[in-house]
């Protein structure tokens, strides 16, 4: 019988008084005198002042049993066992006096455990009882214990004694914890102490780079990064939203300092050619983060990691790269979990093709497990496809070739570091006057080699890429290390080349850029018998060690690994060996692998005329456009070649010219500046072909600005809008004033946005011929006063400001009296929207940032409104102008976090609604949408699928449905069933996404389905 059941048969009013008689009455206070009061001193049947004897206790127990038997209902056990049950219950109650505990401890036990202890204390009581009687006895004991504990808690001393006991327990616990902390420091304290050691280590470890050519003679091998680092630029596709009525221009690029790549975007895939400075940038970011202490940098060169087999977990990051410091357990995971990491993964292109998927899975697992960190991945341009990590929010940037000013800065720094000022001016003059030489000086590696060769040869410089590499190898391999005081093996230049090119070819064949030392020793050992000048200088290990010390081309990148100081040298020497050994079939067989592109180009340079013809024809025979363009690019290195082969290559490439699309144009530009001579037009070209030609020329502007400008100049009178947009969008790639005079001044400006990024462009804008630029965009920190000084304010009807911290009070823009459209993208400091109330503003776009929207309600002339910052208030009508005749409304990001769509139905003029909120839509939001009588077009961002779309109702009035930012795997069937009247569906892909529209066409059988790829 459970105590609760027994309680129903035995009233508490009877039990409580009986139990109370078992204990003495205590006085006030906490009972702290002498020692804690034990139960033996509380019971009334012990001690000199006892008020009950054993006989009285048995009488109390018997009364409890008798009252239970006399209660209504079936008796709980046979009546003839009542005396035995009463005696057993009395024995258990008497056992209270034998328990070694006080009342506080008893209450802490609970009534069930207290009853169990009484049963154990009086274990003989109740033996021989029937099952029902035994069950009643146990239940009665628990019920009595329940009242015993209730009695204890009502005593005047109990609460006070409980507080004292708790205080003592807390004091003991605190003392123990303090002792534990003393013995074992807190994790955060250990982490902080370790980071004080780790960050200076990273700063020192990565603060030195090799400046090619400076490490000759008496100069040190490596130089401080801050002395050698040159701030290069990265380019990216402009990410601002399309202006109303226009499409995004993917060919239009923006420039930013490469070291700022992670400032606005936490995930970046940086592409760059060999020698463009990718690894140096990684070092710079690591050193900067380590010195500032705002991020914990991890430099992860994939060439090293992939060779170890399993790619490392965060806990193994430092061990994998040979860091001698041992972090506290779990440190790396704590850093990444807190979003404090800067993960720099260098060299995706150095991962063999067979390991690419494994590497991608490893990266994705890290990124998804540790969101909130910053990630930079580097790669050669064609090593991974454009959408390789697009789904994870990676922004793609490309290291731009060095501009003329960058080259001049590099040359000055190089000569200052090399203490050779007498050669500086002469080399700068040569770079300005010699076109072929200037074409080679496009990245830090080539600039360093040119500087070194110029000094080494006392002003003489070779022409052409192969000649430059040949001269550089001679310079590097002919140097000596006697001044270092080391005993080295004397290897001739030819012996070094023979050994190096075999090592290079082995790496090329394996698809790797790093090999184990014992593997290298095996290659050297097999080569030594055929290299007479090296055979007598020791075993393979000795010769390899000498090669590493003296060649300047090999380095030991780890305890058991070596690689070439730069991939370019590996490709060049590997190609040299392949040609010498007649491995033309091997070269042609790997032409489809992008890692072999430079090897094949250099092989054409090394080959004899007949071999060149064979290799080029093999490339053409594949019938693939990329390989045809690769053959065209190889012509640059084919000094002597059968004219028929050259003509065939040019003819086959001519079939790809003019390019019919932007993608074709980008592929064509990869063939290099030679393409500029083959670009036709504008006569005889369709609008699409004319656009493709201008895209190709724009992309080649960095390598050959003069030739590219000559092509673009031919199209300045073209009437097609997409061609004119391309010509405007490529201004950044040329000298601002020259391009403005040669191209921009001659354009039909109708429907064109002219974008200014630099002060030089703003100055050039002020010098342009009279005539309105009605649409202007300014990127970066341009003060309003500077903008007003560059344009005629009375002609500007649309103004876009992007990433501009200089714009504060928007009342300054009231100086544009005819302003109809204002677009503010990531302009955090803007405020005072009410100052524009006197301007006939019809379109307002505020994207990104934390703009102050408190005065938005004063702009009552708006017909178009696009917002992502959070709106104030609890309803849309609290912030959005109530009387505005809105026809288009875009609400994205955090705009409706506080308001939802409550109040949306107030604007009955709305025809187009675009939604991309951070929060999910709910039934109330959809109810507001259904009350818009004129709504015919709806935009639902791909991010809403599948979890944030909510309970979408049927919208019979919709005629057009736009689905932006689709990856292709979204289930949109629920939407199809809710828009029965739709006649047009526009699918817009997320950047890099590609998918078939056929499944969507089946979902919307009565609608035209269009696919727009980005």
């Amino acid at each position: 019988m459970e105590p609760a059941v027994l309680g129903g048969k035995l009233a508490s009013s009877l039990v409580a008084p009986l139990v109370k008689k078992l204990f003495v009455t205590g006085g006030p206070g906490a009972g702290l005198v002498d020692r804690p009061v034990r139960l033996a001193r509380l019971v009334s049947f012990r001690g000199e002042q006892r008020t009950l004897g054993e006989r009285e206790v048995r009488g109390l127990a018997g009364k409890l049993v008798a009252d239970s038997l006399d209660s209504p209902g079936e008796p709980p056990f046979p009546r003839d066992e009542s005396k035995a049950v009463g005696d057993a219950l009395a024995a258990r109650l008497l056992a209270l006096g034998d328990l070694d505990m006080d009342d506080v401890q008893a209450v802490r036990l609970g009534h069930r455990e207290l009853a169990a202890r009484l049963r154990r204390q009086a274990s003989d009581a109740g033996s021989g009882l029937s099952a029902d009687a035994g069950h009643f006895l146990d239940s009665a004991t628990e019920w009595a214990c329940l009242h015993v504990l209730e009695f204890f808690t009502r005593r005047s001393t109990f609460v006070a004694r409980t507080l004292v006991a708790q205080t003592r327990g807390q004091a003991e616990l605190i003392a123990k914890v303090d002792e534990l902390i003393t013995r074992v420091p807190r994790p955060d304290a250990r982490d902080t102490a370790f980071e004080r050691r780790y960050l200076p280590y990273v700063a020192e470890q990565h603060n030195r780079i090799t400046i090619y050519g400076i490490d000759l003679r008496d100069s040190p091998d490596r130089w401080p990064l801050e002395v050698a680092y040159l701030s290069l630029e990265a380019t990216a596709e402009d990410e601002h939203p399309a202006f109303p009525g226009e499409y995004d221009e993917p060919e239009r690029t923006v420039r930013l300092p490469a070291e700022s790549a992670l400032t606005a975007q936490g995930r970046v895939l940086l592409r760059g050619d060999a020698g463009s400075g990718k690894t140096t940038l990684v070092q710079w970011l690591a050193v900067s983060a380590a010195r500032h202490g705002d991020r914990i940098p991890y430099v992860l060169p994939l060439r090293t990691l992939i060779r170890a087999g399993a790619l490392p977990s965060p806990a193994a990051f430092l061990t994998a790269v040979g860091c001698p410091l041992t972090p506290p357990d779990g440190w790396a995971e704590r850093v990444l979990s807190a979003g404090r990491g800067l993960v720099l993964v260098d060299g995706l292109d150095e991962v063999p093709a067979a390991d690419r998927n494994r590497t991608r899975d490893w990266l994705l697992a890290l990124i998804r497990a540790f969101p909130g960190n910053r990630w930079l991945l580097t790669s050669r341009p064609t090593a991974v496809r454009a959408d390789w990590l697009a789904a994870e929010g990676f922004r793609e940037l490309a290291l731009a070739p060095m501009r003329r000013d960058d080259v001049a800065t590099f040359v000055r720094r190089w000569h200052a570091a090399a203490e050779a000022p007498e050669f500086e001016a002469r080399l700068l003059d040569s770079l300005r006057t010699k076109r072929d030489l200037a074409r080679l000086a496009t990245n830090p590696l080539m600039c360093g080699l040119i500087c070194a060769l110029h000094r080494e040869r006392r002003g003489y410089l070779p022409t052409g890429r192969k000649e430059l590499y040949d001269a550089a190898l001679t310079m590097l391999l002919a140097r000596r290390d006697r001044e270092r005081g080391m005993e080295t093996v004397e290897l001739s230049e030819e012996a070094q080349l023979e050994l190096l090119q075999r090592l290079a070819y082995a790496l090329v064949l394996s698809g790797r850029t790093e090999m184990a030392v014992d593997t290298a020793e095996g290659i050297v050992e097999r080569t030594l018998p055929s290299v007479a000048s090296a055979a007598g200088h020791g075993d393979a290990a000795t010769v390899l060690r000498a090669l590493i010390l003296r060649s300047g081309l090999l380095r030991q990148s780890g305890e058991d690994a070596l690689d070439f100081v730069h991939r370019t040298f590996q490709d060049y020497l590997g190609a040299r060996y392949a040609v010498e050994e007649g491995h033309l079939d091997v070269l042609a067989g790997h032409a489809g692998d992008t890692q072999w592109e430079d090897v094949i180009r250099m092989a054409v340079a090394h080959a004899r005329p007949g071999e060149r013809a064979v290799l080029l024809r093999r490339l053409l025979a594949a019938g693939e456009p990329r390989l045809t363009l690769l053959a065209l690019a190889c012509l640059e290195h084919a000094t002597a070649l059968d004219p028929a082969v050259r003509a065939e290559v040019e003819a086959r490439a001519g079939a790809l010219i003019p390019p019919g699309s932007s993608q074709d144009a980008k592929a064509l530009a990869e063939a290099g500046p030679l393409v500029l001579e083959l670009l036709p037009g504008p006569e005889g070209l369709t609008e699409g072909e004319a656009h493709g030609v201008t895209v190709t020329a724009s992309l080649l502007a960095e390598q050959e600005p003069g030739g590219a400008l000559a092509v673009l100049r031919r199209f300045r009178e073209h009437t097609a809008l997409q061609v004119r947009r391309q010509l405007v969008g490529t201004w950044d790639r040329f000298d601002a004033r020259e391009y403005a005079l040669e191209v921009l001044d001659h354009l039909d400006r109708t429907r064109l946005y002219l974008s200014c990024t630099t002060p030089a462009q703003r100055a050039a804008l002020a010098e342009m011929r009279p005539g309105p630029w009605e649409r202007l965009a300014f990127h970066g920190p341009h003060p309003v006063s500077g903008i007003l000084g560059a344009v005629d304010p009375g002609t500007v009807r649309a103004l876009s400001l992007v990433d501009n911290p200089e714009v504060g009070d928007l009342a300054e823009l009231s100086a544009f009296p005819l302003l109809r459209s204002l677009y503010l993208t990531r302009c955090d400091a803007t405020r005072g929207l009410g100052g524009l109330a006197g301007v006939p503003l019809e379109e307002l776009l505020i994207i990104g940032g934390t703009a102050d929207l408190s005065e938005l309600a004063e702009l009552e002339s708006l017909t178009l409104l696009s917002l992502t910052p959070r709106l104030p208030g609890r309803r849309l009508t609290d912030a959005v102008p109530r009387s505005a005749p809105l026809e288009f409304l875009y609400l994205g990001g955090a705009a409706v976090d506080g308001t939802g769509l409550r109040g949306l139905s107030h604007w009955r003029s709305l025809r187009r609604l675009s939604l991309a909120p951070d929060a999910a839509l709910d039934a109330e939001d959809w109810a507001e949408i259904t009350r818009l009588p004129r709504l015919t077009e709806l935009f639902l961002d791909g991010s809403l699928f599948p979890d944030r779309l909510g309970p979408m109702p049927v919208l019979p009035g919709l005629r057009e449905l736009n689905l932006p930012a689709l990856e292709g795997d979204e289930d949109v069937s629920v939407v199809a069933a809710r828009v029965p009247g739709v006649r047009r569906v526009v699918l817009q892909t997320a950047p890099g996404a590609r998918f078939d529209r056929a499944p969507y066409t089946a979902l919307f059988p009565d609608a035209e389905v269009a696919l727009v790829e980005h």
Side-chain angles (χ1 to χ4, degrees), residues 487-498:
E487 292 185 9
T488 60
V489 174
E490 295 292 336
L491 294 175
S492 67
E493 179 182 341
E494 283 301 317
Q496 291 182 72
L497 274 175
E498 186 64 32

PDB file of all heavy atoms in Angstrom, residues 487-498:
ATOM      1  N   GLU A 487      81.186  23.680 -45.602  1.00  0.00           N
ATOM      2  CA  GLU A 487      81.782  22.764 -46.566  1.00  0.00           C
ATOM      3  C   GLU A 487      80.667  22.191 -47.425  1.00  0.00           C
ATOM      4  O   GLU A 487      79.791  21.488 -46.935  1.00  0.00           O
ATOM      5  CB  GLU A 487      82.515  21.629 -45.846  1.00  0.00           C
ATOM      6  CG  GLU A 487      83.751  22.109 -45.098  1.00  0.00           C
ATOM      7  CD  GLU A 487      84.517  20.939 -44.505  1.00  0.00           C
ATOM      8  OE1 GLU A 487      84.155  19.788 -44.831  1.00  0.00           O
ATOM      9  OE2 GLU A 487      85.448  21.174 -43.746  1.00  0.00           O
ATOM     10  N   THR A 488      80.663  22.514 -48.693  1.00  0.00           N
ATOM     11  CA  THR A 488      79.593  22.062 -49.578  1.00  0.00           C
ATOM     12  C   THR A 488      80.179  21.310 -50.762  1.00  0.00           C
ATOM     13  O   THR A 488      81.327  21.495 -51.142  1.00  0.00           O
ATOM     14  CB  THR A 488      78.793  23.260 -50.101  1.00  0.00           C
ATOM     15  OG1 THR A 488      79.667  24.125 -50.817  1.00  0.00           O
ATOM     16  CG2 THR A 488      78.156  24.033 -48.950  1.00  0.00           C
ATOM     17  N   VAL A 489      79.308  20.484 -51.338  1.00  0.00           N
ATOM     18  CA  VAL A 489      79.681  19.760 -52.543  1.00  0.00           C
ATOM     19  C   VAL A 489      79.649  20.723 -53.724  1.00  0.00           C
ATOM     20  O   VAL A 489      78.701  21.487 -53.890  1.00  0.00           O
ATOM     21  CB  VAL A 489      78.705  18.589 -52.765  1.00  0.00           C
ATOM     22  CG1 VAL A 489      78.987  17.903 -54.082  1.00  0.00           C
ATOM     23  CG2 VAL A 489      78.797  17.604 -51.609  1.00  0.00           C
ATOM     24  N   GLU A 490      80.688  20.717 -54.542  1.00  0.00           N
ATOM     25  CA  GLU A 490      80.754  21.594 -55.719  1.00  0.00           C
ATOM     26  C   GLU A 490      80.016  20.928 -56.876  1.00  0.00           C
ATOM     27  O   GLU A 490      80.501  19.959 -57.462  1.00  0.00           O
ATOM     28  CB  GLU A 490      82.214  21.843 -56.117  1.00  0.00           C
ATOM     29  CG  GLU A 490      83.013  22.620 -55.067  1.00  0.00           C
ATOM     30  CD  GLU A 490      82.533  24.053 -54.948  1.00  0.00           C
ATOM     31  OE1 GLU A 490      81.953  24.574 -55.922  1.00  0.00           O
ATOM     32  OE2 GLU A 490      82.700  24.652 -53.882  1.00  0.00           O
ATOM     33  N   LEU A 491      78.834  21.417 -57.202  1.00  0.00           N
ATOM     34  CA  LEU A 491      78.044  20.889 -58.297  1.00  0.00           C
ATOM     35  C   LEU A 491      77.992  21.919 -59.408  1.00  0.00           C
ATOM     36  O   LEU A 491      77.707  23.099 -59.166  1.00  0.00           O
ATOM     37  CB  LEU A 491      76.624  20.565 -57.835  1.00  0.00           C
ATOM     38  CG  LEU A 491      76.458  19.433 -56.815  1.00  0.00           C
ATOM     39  CD1 LEU A 491      75.005  19.339 -56.383  1.00  0.00           C
ATOM     40  CD2 LEU A 491      76.917  18.113 -57.400  1.00  0.00           C
ATOM     41  N   SER A 492      78.219  21.474 -60.620  1.00  0.00           N
ATOM     42  CA  SER A 492      78.150  22.393 -61.749  1.00  0.00           C
ATOM     43  C   SER A 492      76.702  22.779 -62.010  1.00  0.00           C
ATOM     44  O   SER A 492      75.763  22.146 -61.534  1.00  0.00           O
ATOM     45  CB  SER A 492      78.734  21.728 -63.000  1.00  0.00           C
ATOM     46  OG  SER A 492      77.900  20.640 -63.400  1.00  0.00           O
ATOM     47  N   GLU A 493      76.547  23.829 -62.817  1.00  0.00           N
ATOM     48  CA  GLU A 493      75.202  24.275 -63.147  1.00  0.00           C
ATOM     49  C   GLU A 493      74.436  23.183 -63.870  1.00  0.00           C
ATOM     50  O   GLU A 493      73.254  22.931 -63.587  1.00  0.00           O
ATOM     51  CB  GLU A 493      75.266  25.532 -64.010  1.00  0.00           C
ATOM     52  CG  GLU A 493      73.905  26.061 -64.427  1.00  0.00           C
ATOM     53  CD  GLU A 493      74.010  27.287 -65.324  1.00  0.00           C
ATOM     54  OE1 GLU A 493      75.071  27.933 -65.333  1.00  0.00           O
ATOM     55  OE2 GLU A 493      73.015  27.587 -66.018  1.00  0.00           O
ATOM     56  N   GLU A 494      75.072  22.495 -64.822  1.00  0.00           N
ATOM     57  CA  GLU A 494      74.386  21.440 -65.561  1.00  0.00           C
ATOM     58  C   GLU A 494      74.008  20.270 -64.665  1.00  0.00           C
ATOM     59  O   GLU A 494      72.935  19.675 -64.806  1.00  0.00           O
ATOM     60  CB  GLU A 494      75.263  20.954 -66.717  1.00  0.00           C
ATOM     61  CG  GLU A 494      75.292  21.882 -67.912  1.00  0.00           C
ATOM     62  CD  GLU A 494      73.890  22.104 -68.481  1.00  0.00           C
ATOM     63  OE1 GLU A 494      73.129  21.117 -68.584  1.00  0.00           O
ATOM     64  OE2 GLU A 494      73.552  23.259 -68.795  1.00  0.00           O
ATOM     65  N   ALA A 495      74.906  19.915 -63.714  1.00  0.00           N
ATOM     66  CA  ALA A 495      74.593  18.825 -62.795  1.00  0.00           C
ATOM     67  C   ALA A 495      73.387  19.178 -61.923  1.00  0.00           C
ATOM     68  O   ALA A 495      72.487  18.358 -61.698  1.00  0.00           O
ATOM     69  CB  ALA A 495      75.801  18.519 -61.918  1.00  0.00           C
ATOM     70  N   GLN A 496      73.367  20.410 -61.436  1.00  0.00           N
ATOM     71  CA  GLN A 496      72.231  20.840 -60.625  1.00  0.00           C
ATOM     72  C   GLN A 496      70.929  20.803 -61.437  1.00  0.00           C
ATOM     73  O   GLN A 496      69.890  20.351 -60.957  1.00  0.00           O
ATOM     74  CB  GLN A 496      72.474  22.253 -60.098  1.00  0.00           C
ATOM     75  CG  GLN A 496      73.594  22.341 -59.057  1.00  0.00           C
ATOM     76  CD  GLN A 496      73.753  23.764 -58.549  1.00  0.00           C
ATOM     77  OE1 GLN A 496      72.917  24.257 -57.806  1.00  0.00           O
ATOM     78  NE2 GLN A 496      74.817  24.423 -58.953  1.00  0.00           N
ATOM     79  N   LEU A 497      70.993  21.290 -62.677  1.00  0.00           N
ATOM     80  CA  LEU A 497      69.798  21.294 -63.521  1.00  0.00           C
ATOM     81  C   LEU A 497      69.288  19.885 -63.758  1.00  0.00           C
ATOM     82  O   LEU A 497      68.078  19.628 -63.730  1.00  0.00           O
ATOM     83  CB  LEU A 497      70.103  21.975 -64.858  1.00  0.00           C
ATOM     84  CG  LEU A 497      69.964  23.489 -64.913  1.00  0.00           C
ATOM     85  CD1 LEU A 497      70.422  24.007 -66.266  1.00  0.00           C
ATOM     86  CD2 LEU A 497      68.519  23.898 -64.647  1.00  0.00           C
ATOM     87  N   GLU A 498      70.200  18.950 -64.019  1.00  0.00           N
ATOM     88  CA  GLU A 498      69.793  17.573 -64.292  1.00  0.00           C
ATOM     89  C   GLU A 498      69.081  16.974 -63.092  1.00  0.00           C
ATOM     90  O   GLU A 498      68.034  16.317 -63.228  1.00  0.00           O
ATOM     91  CB  GLU A 498      71.021  16.730 -64.646  1.00  0.00           C
ATOM     92  CG  GLU A 498      70.692  15.307 -65.088  1.00  0.00           C
ATOM     93  CD  GLU A 498      69.877  15.272 -66.376  1.00  0.00           C
ATOM     94  OE1 GLU A 498      70.055  16.162 -67.241  1.00  0.00           O
ATOM     95  OE2 GLU A 498      69.049  14.350 -66.524  1.00  0.00           O
TER      96      GLU A 498
END
